[in-house]
Amino acid sequence: MSKLDCVVKEIADEMRQRPDRGAVADYIAELAHIDPKAFGLAVIDADGELACGGDCDTSFSIQSISKVFTLTLALGKVGDRLWQRVGREPSGSPFNSIVQLERERGIPRNPFINAGAIAVTDVILSGHQPREALGEILRFMQFLADDPSITIDSAVAASEDRTGFRNRALANYMKSFGVLENPVDFILGVYFHHCAIAMSCRQLALAGRFLAHQGRNPSTGLSVVQPERARRINAIMLTCGHYDGSGEFAYRVGLPGKSGVGGGILAIAPGKASVAVWSPGLDASGNSHLGRIALEALTNRMGWSIFGG
Ligand code: GLN
């Protein structure tokens, strides 16, 4: 067994035994049923070696992790003009906060808080029907993970739609400032569905590989984005990927990462590995509690923090 294999198995065992698991998101009813004892970890290194621990083949709702991929698509579509519609500063506020939008005239702080991701979804939707835009996002995920079986969990999307009052408020508020081009219902329909994409840790780690290797999948040689763009997406993941918990994540884990309320985290060790972890219980900022602890253990044991040490 390689060192990476041993470390991944060790961490999965340690996490299984921990009693502190955080609280499963319950504002989306479908997510409230998920077993808080689940835990999965998948790591793919630069040579394509895959190390898997725990429930690494169980699908979960990727939720806000999808925002990394919608950002990539929107940048591909409109390039740096995207930054006229959304900022790239950490918000220091919860993922679903509305407070900054009034002062900043409807321009969300960054593409990873809900308001910012809704603005990014609007960019992807322009010129398309919602169904086409959603198809483009799903096909992109399937392409990156090299797995056409990846689907959207429509029960999760419907459940979020039923209780999506805050996201409706955010979108309507932005619309009032003229920041969104498309009808709010269309944008939210696409947003709720891309958040409801279901993937396993293994699939997600595969999908994130281009970010670890200067925009290219080293196994296929296929380029997804230019190196400069991969570097910048990683920078935004580091500063904004965990909302008001981004500082703590950088301090403890030291990698660009993006969390979702389904309990998943995608983390990138540039030049080294793409990592996906899943534990459904969340901390107070809505980030996976054990997911973060597992990643901290992984970067410590592998020496992967981007800050050295
Ligand atoms: N779909 C979720 C929402 O809009 C995503 C939030 C998250 O994963 N942090 O509330």
Side-chain angles (χ1 to χ4, degrees), residues 67-84 86 88 111-112 120 123-124 211 224-225 228-230 232-234 236:
K67 297 172 183 174
V68 173
F69 302 96
T70 51
L71 170 64
T72 307
L73 282 174
L75 283 169
K77 190 168 169 190
V78 300
D80 283 340
R81 278 185 293 134
L82 183 70
W83 305 119
Q84 295 162 8
V86 60
R88 43 176 196 260
F112 292 158
V120 167
V123 168
I124 295 175
L211 292 170
V224 181
V225 295
E228 178 189 301
R229 185 156 289 164
R232 291 187 153 153
I233 294 169
N234 281 327
I236 302 169

Side-chain angles (χ1 to χ4, degrees), residues 37-278:
K37 293 206 192 65
F39 178 86
L41 176 60
V43 185
I44 306 183
D45 72 8
D47 301 325
E49 191 203 332
L50 173 81
C52 265
D55 309 310
C56 71
D57 285 310
T58 307
S59 292
F60 61 89
S61 193
I62 67 169
Q63 291 296 318
S64 287
I65 303 171
S66 60
K67 297 172 183 174
V68 173
F69 302 96
T70 51
L71 170 64
T72 307
L73 282 174
L75 283 169
K77 190 168 169 190
V78 300
D80 283 340
R81 278 185 293 134
L82 183 70
W83 305 119
Q84 295 162 8
R85 309 274 298 272
V86 60
R88 43 176 196 260
E89 290 296 343
S91 68
S93 303
F95 64 88
N96 55 7
S97 172
I98 200 167
V99 290
Q100 284 158 346
L101 275 184
E102 180 167 23
R103 221 175 319 118
E104 296 171 12
R105 305 206 51 78
I107 305 285
R109 272 286 170 100
N110 68 65
F112 292 158
I113 51 173
N114 286 8
I118 290 167
V120 167
T121 301
D122 179 54
V123 168
I124 295 175
L125 180 56
S126 286
H128 299 283
Q129 291 301 316
R131 182 186 295 275
E132 294 165 353
L134 193 57
E136 185 187 353
I137 299 167
L138 183 62
R139 279 193 301 278
F140 187 49
M141 300 310 297
Q142 293 171 336
F143 161 72
L144 291 175
D146 191 21
D147 192 338
S149 75
I150 294 168
T151 52
I152 293 171
D153 186 332
S154 47
V156 172
S159 141
E160 184 167 358
D161 195 2
R162 275 194 296 279
T163 53
F165 306 111
R166 270 185 183 245
N167 285 324
R168 283 209 169 79
L170 292 169
N172 280 303
Y173 203 53
M174 285 191 281
K175 185 83 179 169
S176 78
F177 282 104
V179 168
L180 301 178
E181 278 175 6
N182 294 284
V184 161
D185 283 347
F186 283 17
I187 304 168
L188 288 175
V190 176
Y191 171 81
F192 292 147
H193 281 82
H194 75 63
C195 287
I197 291 173
M199 290 170 77
S200 66
C201 288
R202 183 197 299 262
Q203 291 167 331
L204 200 54
L206 275 166
R209 278 193 94 194
F210 74 99
L211 292 170
H213 305 287
Q214 306 202 53
R216 234 172 110 257
N217 178 330
S219 297
T220 59
L222 288 174
S223 171
V224 181
V225 295
Q226 291 299 309
E228 178 189 301
R229 185 156 289 164
R231 187 178 81 222
R232 291 187 153 153
I233 294 169
N234 281 327
I236 302 169
M237 288 171 76
L238 183 79
T239 51
C240 310
H242 283 71
Y243 321 111
D244 46 341
S246 299
E248 184 69 4
F249 189 82
Y251 179 84
R252 292 193 173 274
V253 177
L255 296 180
K258 181 75 206 83
S259 71
V261 287
I265 303 176
L266 172 67
I268 303 300
K272 301 195 170 71
S274 171
V275 184
V277 64
W278 172 53

